[in-house]
């Protein structure tokens, strides 16, 4: 519960300065943000995602992070599951 996580995204043949968008299927009760963007440089990019410490005892929770080229309706390239 709580904590800041840095995610690194590796790409192949993606031009420098390309902007990719991320989203997570959580809520603002769980995270400080549920979507954002990052820029690719030398086929790498990264973003931070902070979980909110709600001080509740909960069972393990899983979320999905999606990486896209545009809005939430564009092509979904990758998913990462974490607890």
């Amino acid at each position: 519960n709580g904590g800041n996580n840095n995610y690194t995204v590796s790409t192949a043949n993606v031009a420098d300065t390309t902007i990719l968008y991320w989203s997570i299927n959580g809520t603002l009760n769980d995270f400080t943000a549920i979507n954002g963007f990052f820029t690719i440089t030398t086929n790498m990019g990264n973003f931070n995602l902070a979980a909110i410490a709600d001080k509740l005892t909960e069972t393990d929770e899983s979320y999905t992070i999606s990486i896209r080229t545009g809005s939430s309706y564009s092509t979904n390239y990758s998913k990462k599951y974490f607890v």
Side-chain angles (χ1 to χ4, degrees):
N1 231 357
N4 191 29
N5 297 290
N6 185 17
Y7 293 92
T8 299
V9 178
S10 299
T11 63
N13 303 315
V14 175
D16 282 357
T17 71
T18 297
I19 295 174
L20 296 179
Y21 299 83
W22 64 269
S23 61
I24 189 166
N25 67 333
T27 70
L28 291 174
N29 292 327
D30 300 314
F31 302 97
T32 57
I34 56 172
N35 56 53
F37 64 93
F38 57 95
T39 303
I40 296 297
T41 303
T42 318
N43 283 312
M44 299 285 283
N46 62 57
F47 63 93
N48 290 308
L49 179 59
I52 294 173
D54 57 16
K55 299 182 180 20
L56 298 175
T57 301
E58 301 171 312
T59 60
D60 289 345
E61 297 175 285
S62 295
Y63 298 95
T64 303
I65 297 173
S66 299
I67 306 296
R68 296 181 165 82
T69 57
S71 73
S72 60
Y73 302 106
S74 69
T75 303
N76 184 6
Y77 284 105
S78 178
K79 291 185 177 183
K80 178 177 178 106
Y81 299 92
F82 69 98
V83 176

